[in-house]
Amino acid sequence: MYRYDEFDHAFVKARVAQFRDQVERRLSGEITEEQFKPLRLMNGVYLQLHSYMLRIAIPYGTLAPRQLRMLAYIARTYDKGYGHFTTRQNLQFHWPALRDVPDILEHLASVEMHCIQTSGNCIRNVTADHFAGATADEVADPRPYAEILRQWSSLHPEFSYLPRKFKIAVTGAERDRAAIQVHDIGLHLKKNAQDKLGFAVYVGGGLGRTPMVARKMRDFLPEEDLLSYTTAILRVYNLHGRRDNKFKARIKILVHETGAQELTTQIEREFAALKDSDLKLPHADIQAIQNYFAPPALPPRPEGGGVLVRAADDGNSFARWLRHNLHTHRNPDYACVTISLKGIGDVPGDISADQMDAVADIAEAYAFGEIRVSHEQNLVLPHVARADLRAVHDRLHEIGLATPNAGLVTDIIACPGLDYCALANARSIPVAQEIANRFADEERQEEISMLKIKISGCINACGHHHVGHIGILGVEKKGAELYQITLGGSGDENAAIGEIIGRGFGPTEIADAVETIVGTYLSRRLDASETFLAAYQRLGPAPFKEALYGSHAKAA
Amino acid sequence: MKLLAANRLADGEAVWLGPDGQWVEDISAAEVARDADSADRLERIGHEAFLRNEVVDLELIEVEIVNGQVRPARLRERIRAAGPSIHPGLGKQARKSAFTLI
């Protein structure tokens, strides 16, 4: 992975010292809350319902064991012993004291981490496919380009005060696991007919109160033009984005109001002026960054094959874990392992300090010291020899992290919701817990097969409900929680925004409603190979509406 | 009836204005304003504490008394008083009084 150079170290260290001074001045009353608030937000410190919250950037979701151990240390020393992984591959601590934050930042800096640009109207943490650099289906590792974007965008003077926040995601595979089409810029790394690397560029995707799927602005942008084209997009946005209205300030609205064709013309005009400027990436620079992401030397481990073939017939939990929590590695002796942070009844994305330490140990022992965070709030060990899967499973089982449910109905995304968040209108986590408990039976989960439920506690959609196969949005109605259901959303390469199915459901009814939807799918699917999403696309909303709101349904 | 809610500046803890201008961590110890004049007084004391950099995010919240216990009208404020409805072993939610609030 990328290692800080002298400049990076000095920069982050200076920033910690700066923030320490700002906190001291705030606590002594030298500066007011109004003056301090933008400063704390620039360092990832929010004020939530019960306390401050600190959001730590995990660039493109790549973590080293020493970093995870430091997060465990911080969780124990300064928080309540756990952390929460988010849908943007970051980690949040929900209970830090403001007076401790400078010390926390200093600890983070010692392992090359920080909280810069995890808030504010700037370019946020660049996210990437969590299987990057390991998966069999990618043309190249997208993370070097995410790192180039990170370096370029860090404290970029022109783009530090954009009309609104700006999110970029990168994938190197046709199968989109980074939800690039619902980002402000989505980059799909691909090769052209001449075998040259470049990007399909998507612009103007986003969720929130006005969900939109991005428009493809370029089918192939040569890799050396990455920064000049991105700069062109941001210049047009910075100039014309709606600063007059916070709710219309994201680039998706600009794309919608201007029209994709006209906006492309403006971007291309800007790009033509920048194309041969200093922003053109020299091949040697790309190569230098790529070298940081060189995959580990993977020794041949052919002995894994036979063991797994026998284990797969067992019908036990390990066999299920093999079926669901593995992803095909480009080396047939290896696999990418998903560590589910969705134990039945647990808080999606939460991990205890002890679990963090244990995962760091497992990654060092069996996974070449590489750990990833997925936007689905799970962890990934990208390089595990198939021969070691039993050992890895058993070690994960010991710490309660071997739930065999990746991609299944209980692998639910949920935002922190009203349990923590000052913006939320309803709780998300207890809904996720109840649905997971309802579908706890592993055989039943397998029967249902792939089904993505995503829950947000407000219209800002941190839980990505718009792109859930079943999406749940919590709202407040007459002082009580109410949950609206959307069906048919998808965050992959066939991105789609789910459709609202009808009236909402109360907190005690929402799990029943999900049961009804799943039951309708099971009774109407063509066969076991037809997924929920495929069945919904074939059937449309009618049978689900009928099942939910028929004369005996309990709609709120 | 109203209470004055805030977060303590130094650690962010959710607090309420109690008797004698003290900030309390348990909502049941907060001072209840039963009329507009009392509510104004709470706000005035709160604003002075804000200026002394003791608290931030001041808000007068609606409450009622149910079975002799203070109960905020909005769920948001009930959760704030009781702690998150998850991780029952940690923080405010571990207190016995929290269970009756949400």
Side-chain angles (χ1 to χ4, degrees):
Chain A
M1 66 190 287
Y2 180 72
R3 297 300 300 256
Y4 280 15
D5 61 17
E6 262 176 55
F7 174 81
D8 296 320
H9 276 296
F11 162 63
V12 174
K13 213 174 150 192
R15 186 62 176 258
V16 174
Q18 197 179 50
F19 191 59
R20 185 181 293 282
D21 178 59
Q22 290 161 352
V23 170
E24 279 168 12
R25 286 191 288 146
R26 176 67 193 113
L27 292 176
S28 72
E30 200 179 318
I31 54 176
T32 65
E33 185 62 15
E34 194 183 5
Q35 290 166 324
F36 179 65
K37 190 175 172 183
L39 301 175
R40 71 164 158 76
L41 288 174
M42 281 178 192
N43 291 282
V45 184
Y46 288 73
L47 182 59
Q48 298 279 59
L49 214 50
H50 309 283
S51 60
Y52 291 100
M53 179 270 278
L54 183 66
R55 184 179 292 152
I56 297 162
I58 301 174
Y60 31 87
T62 295
L63 265 179
R66 69 199 169 97
Q67 294 174 318
L68 193 54
R69 287 198 186 96
M70 180 54 79
L71 295 173
Y73 172 78
I74 293 167
R76 269 190 207 103
T77 312
Y78 300 100
D79 211 89
K80 291 189 190 290
Y82 68 99
H84 176 78
F85 287 110
T86 76
T87 51
R88 295 215 75 252
Q89 299 179 314
N90 293 319
L91 181 117
Q92 292 179 179
F93 285 121
H94 287 293
W95 304 95
L98 178 61
R99 58 173 178 261
D100 291 334
V101 172
D103 288 344
I104 296 174
L105 294 184
E106 200 158 312
H107 287 305
L108 289 172
S110 74
V111 292
E112 306 183 357
M113 297 184 87
H114 59 70
C115 303
I116 299 165
Q117 290 179 206
T118 60
S119 174
N121 294 336
C122 53
I123 299 168
R124 301 287 189 89
N125 185 34
V126 178
T127 55
D129 182 356
H130 43 268
F131 296 133
T135 177
D137 66 351
E138 74 182 8
V139 298
D141 189 340
R143 291 174 304 157
Y145 304 94
E147 173 57 25
I148 288 167
L149 287 165
R150 188 193 70 80
Q151 294 191 13
W152 160 82
S153 66
S154 293
L155 264 58
H156 193 303
E158 189 180 341
F159 303 133
S160 290
Y161 295 93
L162 293 166
R164 198 76 178 86
K165 59 188 167 184
F166 202 90
K167 299 174 183 179
I168 303 175
V170 197
T171 176
E174 286 294 328
R175 187 74 211 269
D176 178 9
R177 290 173 288 263
I180 66 164
Q181 292 183 46
V182 288
H183 279 74
D184 295 288
I185 294 179
L187 298 166
H188 171 202
L189 184 61
K190 61 199 274 198
K191 281 186 174 168
N192 67 3
Q194 288 76 45
D195 213 34
K196 265 188 61 83
L197 277 172
F199 302 91
V201 182
Y202 294 83
V203 179
L207 300 173
R209 74 181 54 225
T210 317
M212 287 186 186
V213 172
R215 305 292 293 266
K216 195 197 268 188
M217 297 269 172
R218 267 281 186 132
D219 190 55
F220 189 84
L221 177 79
E223 57 174 345
E224 61 268 24
D225 295 329
L226 174 64
L227 294 186
S228 34
Y229 199 79
T230 308
T231 300
I233 296 168
L234 276 146
R235 279 206 174 154
V236 171
Y237 168 56
N238 211 7
L239 190 62
H240 299 297
R242 293 279 303 271
R243 289 176 187 271
D244 62 313
N245 184 338
K246 187 183 176 186
F247 302 127
K248 295 187 175 181
R250 296 287 291 269
I251 195 173
K252 63 190 172 186
I253 304 294
L254 185 66
V255 173
H256 180 71
E257 289 185 349
T258 312
Q261 203 175 353
E262 168 57 23
L263 204 69
T264 304
T265 306
Q266 293 178 18
I267 291 166
E268 290 290 337
R269 196 183 305 135
E270 206 53 65
F271 173 60
L274 290 167
K275 192 174 182 308
D276 297 312
S277 69
D278 289 349
L279 288 169
K280 191 169 195 136
L281 283 166
H283 187 70
D285 285 11
I286 298 175
Q287 187 63 52
I289 298 290
Q290 279 169 339
N291 290 342
Y292 283 110
F293 295 88
L298 302 173
R301 297 288 302 277
E303 73 275 24
V307 179
L308 295 185
V309 168
R310 286 192 297 280
D313 294 333
D314 274 2
N316 58 20
S317 192
F318 176 54
R320 283 207 174 84
W321 185 80
L322 292 177
R323 281 199 287 280
H324 302 296
N325 292 37
L326 299 192
H327 175 81
T328 308
H329 196 281
R330 63 165 181 276
N331 182 326
D333 291 350
Y334 288 79
C336 309
V337 167
T338 296
I339 301 174
S340 170
L341 300 183
K342 314 293 176 63
I344 304 302
D346 290 346
V347 176
D350 271 16
I351 182 169
S352 73
D354 290 349
Q355 288 172 327
M356 290 185 210
D357 278 338
V359 169
D361 292 346
I362 295 167
E364 275 177 346
Y366 297 105
F368 303 87
E370 289 208 22
I371 304 156
R372 305 285 170 73
V373 183
S374 82
H375 87 272
E376 295 183 319
Q377 300 178 290
N378 291 316
L379 292 178
V380 168
L381 300 173
H383 314 286
V384 178
R386 289 180 169 266
D388 292 333
L389 286 170
R390 178 90 229 187
V392 168
H393 169 271
D394 292 352
R395 292 274 296 266
L396 289 171
H397 185 72
E398 283 171 22
I399 54 168
L401 292 182
T403 312
N405 65 348
L408 299 180
V409 63
T410 57
D411 183 4
I412 300 169
I413 287 183
C415 73
L418 192 55
D419 279 306
Y420 296 101
C421 180
L423 300 174
N425 297 314
R427 283 172 288 176
S428 306
I429 293 166
V431 174
Q433 290 172 314
E434 193 185 345
I435 294 171
N437 282 323
R438 199 68 79 85
F439 290 94
D441 184 89
E442 290 178 353
E443 264 181 50
R444 189 167 174 226
Q445 288 188 56
E446 283 199 318
E447 186 197 356
I448 297 164
S449 75
M450 187 176 75
L451 175 45
K452 292 178 189 284
I453 299 181
K454 302 178 197 269
I455 309 173
S456 304
C458 81
I459 194 68
N460 292 307
C462 295
H464 295 184
H465 65 277
H466 297 295
V467 292
H469 301 167
I470 299 176
I472 299 174
L473 167 65
V475 298
E476 183 181 0
K477 194 172 180 186
K478 293 178 187 163
E481 293 160 302
L482 189 75
Y483 295 92
Q484 288 177 352
I485 293 178
T486 51
L487 297 181
S490 175
D492 63 10
E493 62 281 5
N494 302 308
I497 305 298
E499 301 168 298
I500 296 173
I501 194 74
R503 298 186 308 277
F505 296 86
T508 57
E509 300 162 332
I510 182 67
D512 288 339
V514 172
E515 284 254 30
T516 301
I517 291 163
V518 172
T520 306
Y521 152 66
L522 289 174
S523 67
R524 300 291 294 263
R525 70 183 179 186
L526 293 174
D527 56 48
S529 71
E530 190 181 41
T531 63
F532 176 86
L533 189 60
Y536 181 80
Q537 286 163 347
R538 177 175 60 81
L539 293 163
F544 298 94
K545 272 189 181 172
E546 171 67 25
L548 285 171
Y549 304 112
S551 55
H552 300 293
K554 290 187 292 178
Chain B
M1 284 181 283
K2 288 184 162 66
L3 292 181
L4 189 66
N7 290 87
R8 213 153 48 202
L9 172 66
D11 63 2
E13 181 77 31
V15 288
W16 297 267
L17 186 59
D20 308 325
Q22 299 298 306
W23 294 93
V24 296
E25 294 182 18
D26 185 343
I27 197 169
S28 64
E31 186 175 345
V32 181
R34 292 171 191 274
D35 55 45
D37 284 349
S38 309
D40 285 348
R41 195 178 67 83
L42 291 186
E43 276 199 304
R44 206 168 49 245
I45 297 169
H47 188 64
E48 283 164 9
F50 174 75
L51 292 178
R52 285 196 305 274
N53 306 299
E54 291 173 10
V55 288
V56 291
D57 265 25
L58 294 157
E59 192 183 350
L60 268 182
I61 60 163
E62 287 285 344
V63 295
E64 53 190 353
I65 306 289
V66 179
N67 298 329
Q69 256 207 330
V70 171
R71 182 183 157 89
R74 287 188 68 196
L75 176 64
R76 178 186 200 273
E77 296 303 326
R78 292 201 293 278
I79 289 177
R80 202 174 191 197
S85 60
I86 52 176
H87 292 303
L90 300 166
K92 283 192 166 104
Q93 62 271 43
R95 293 178 191 163
K96 210 175 167 188
S97 59
F99 295 101
T100 56
L101 270 167
I102 299 177

